[in-house]
Amino acid sequence: MNIKEAKQEIKHTLQAYLKKDEFGSYVIPQVRQRPILLIGAPGIGKTAIMEQIAQEEGLALLSYTMTHHTRQSAVGLPFIVTKEYDGKSRSVTEYTMSEIVAAVYDKIEETGISEGILFLDEINCVSETLAPAMLQLLQAKTFGNQRLPDGFLLVAAGNPPEYNKSVREFDVVTLDRVRYISVETEFSVWKEYAYASGVAPVILTYLELKKENFYRMEGLLGEKQFVTARGWQDLSELLICYEKLSVPITEELIHQYVQHDETARDFFLYYELYERYRSLCRIKEVLDGTVPEGLSERLGNCAFDEKLSVLGLLLEGLNEHFLLAEEAWKVQSALPPLLKGVLAACETVSEGGESRLERERFSDAAANILAEYREGIRKKKSAGLLSEGEEQFGKKTARRMEELCQIAMTRAAQGADSVAENLRKAFAQQEDAREELAEKTNEKLDRAFAFLEKTWGKGQELVVFLTELSMNPHSSAFLLEYGNKTYAAYNKELLLQTPDAELAQEIRQAKSMKFL
């Protein structure tokens, strides 16, 4: 199965294993809760889906790479105790608690979350001395004489033997006690994740053209040539940062991430083409409605890979505005409960002019609520329940609340209405700004459609553009919330008339992400 299917299978397993009966006991006892063993090529996202599952299910997550552990850290250290058997004192060897098991209990204590996932990566590459302990763990969920607490699902992962000479084969006794899931690479599945993760459009458009270069493993017995999903994502992070810093992108840099000579060279050539079209098309001007003279005519007969580059640039330019609109909606939606809390704490404020003391009361209430909100973000981050994007959103919400409260107090100090009334006005102005931003984003999308039709007509290029808008979670979220008449008209006329219309509709529905 692909990584998306594996993720769903693990989520279903969690729901089954954590289901309790009317007496609070797990319906499936721990002895029957088989660990999951994920086996798949390196860099396809096995670790990433575990983080996503924990966040989506609200569970604690502990991750370990087992090749970094010794027998002592996994099993514990031996010590001698004295016990009495048949009236005689005997010296007996026992073990301290495993570092890994202790970390599970520490996580429960730290987060207050008693259920979660213990994820052990590279489990089939452990040293010879640690191998028996790993087999014991998979078979009985114990390290030495210490058992994993109830409520924790054990998920182990490893690579097939062809990718790593250190891999140890599991025997039938062990395999009969685990749920074995073989994970395969699939570009279309990774592309969904890549869109949500902000992978550079130049990489996505290149791989759309050269899907065979998404994942390659060659020369495993000799000189290794490879490229993985992890490599593409890490390269994306650096490309985006280098471009902001105006640092040149070289073929040697590409090779450092795409360690497959032919693919690295091919992508570098495509990157140069993409950048030439960036200079030629001047996408910002296109979206602002000032299309460079003669541009549509110059692009009219270009090759399909060049057309995809232009489409990628258009989507890249639009995505900046989709992200801003999405952030504005999320922040604005998160503010009312916080602001209501501030006002509720200040209900004793008189209806007349605000005194300095009353403004201080308002300030203290805002500070307290903000402190609680930020502490909640910190705890969720510590428990692994927040992605980096969600953490940033939380911080921006707190900062926006501070700004609104400061505006309200400043205006009240100047004698313009009460603090509460000024707060309501400041929030309303922010809401007007959000709606204006959405309207401007819609105008840019309309201009992109007009440019495409003028350049290539209502052909496959427009169909590709519509499909990508539907698959990108940021554009689909914008369209779901605000709608766009031009998109709807083209979508009905073109996309729903294609042979894959029904599938395309299902994709749009599946990819639509409601704003939180």
Side-chain angles (χ1 to χ4, degrees), residues 4-21:
K4 182 180 179 181
E5 293 168 337
K7 175 183 174 180
Q8 194 60 42
E9 187 66 29
I10 295 171
K11 291 182 75 169
H12 288 160
T13 300
L14 274 166
Q15 292 164 7
Y17 285 2
L18 298 182
K19 183 175 177 57
K20 295 181 179 180
D21 61 22

Side-chain angles (χ1 to χ4, degrees), residues 260-277:
H260 186 278
D261 292 344
E262 179 186 340
T263 303
R265 189 175 305 111
D266 192 48
F267 174 70
F268 178 69
L269 293 174
Y270 181 80
Y271 179 83
E272 289 189 316
L273 172 70
Y274 193 88
E275 289 303 297
R276 285 200 298 273
Y277 272 95

Side-chain angles (χ1 to χ4, degrees), residues 334-473:
L335 283 172
L338 298 175
L339 298 178
K340 287 178 181 177
V342 174
L343 294 176
C346 301
E347 286 181 348
T348 57
V349 174
S350 64
E351 295 180 359
E354 301 281 333
S355 67
R356 181 173 59 84
L357 181 61
E358 289 166 334
R359 289 196 301 275
E360 289 175 356
R361 187 185 299 122
F362 177 92
S363 178
D364 290 343
N368 290 336
I369 288 174
L370 270 171
E372 290 177 7
Y373 181 72
R374 285 174 168 143
E375 178 62 12
I377 293 173
R378 188 198 67 76
K379 285 183 177 180
K380 287 183 178 180
K381 181 66 176 178
S382 176
L385 301 180
L386 285 182
S387 66
E388 288 185 13
E390 290 168 331
E391 182 186 13
Q392 289 300 311
F393 156 67
K395 290 179 178 178
K396 289 177 180 178
T397 300
R399 184 174 63 191
R400 183 64 53 79
M401 179 180 170
E402 277 186 316
E403 293 170 352
L404 292 178
C405 290
Q406 186 58 50
I407 290 170
M409 287 190 293
T410 300
R411 290 177 179 174
Q414 296 170 349
D417 297 320
S418 66
V419 172
E421 184 60 29
N422 281 311
L423 184 62
R424 294 187 184 97
K425 287 181 178 180
F427 180 80
Q429 289 173 350
Q430 195 64 50
E431 179 67 9
D432 291 341
R434 179 187 69 82
E435 292 177 355
E436 183 180 353
L437 176 61
E439 185 178 341
K440 289 182 177 179
T441 302
N442 252 323
E443 290 173 356
K444 293 180 186 298
L445 181 55
D446 288 340
R447 291 170 189 143
F449 277 117
F451 171 72
L452 288 175
E453 183 172 352
K454 179 181 179 182
T455 304
W456 296 309
K458 297 179 181 180
Q460 62 178 338
E461 298 83 5
L462 203 50
V463 173
V464 170
F465 187 67
L466 285 164
T467 303
E468 295 300 313
L469 285 173
S470 302
M471 292 188 66
N472 184 329

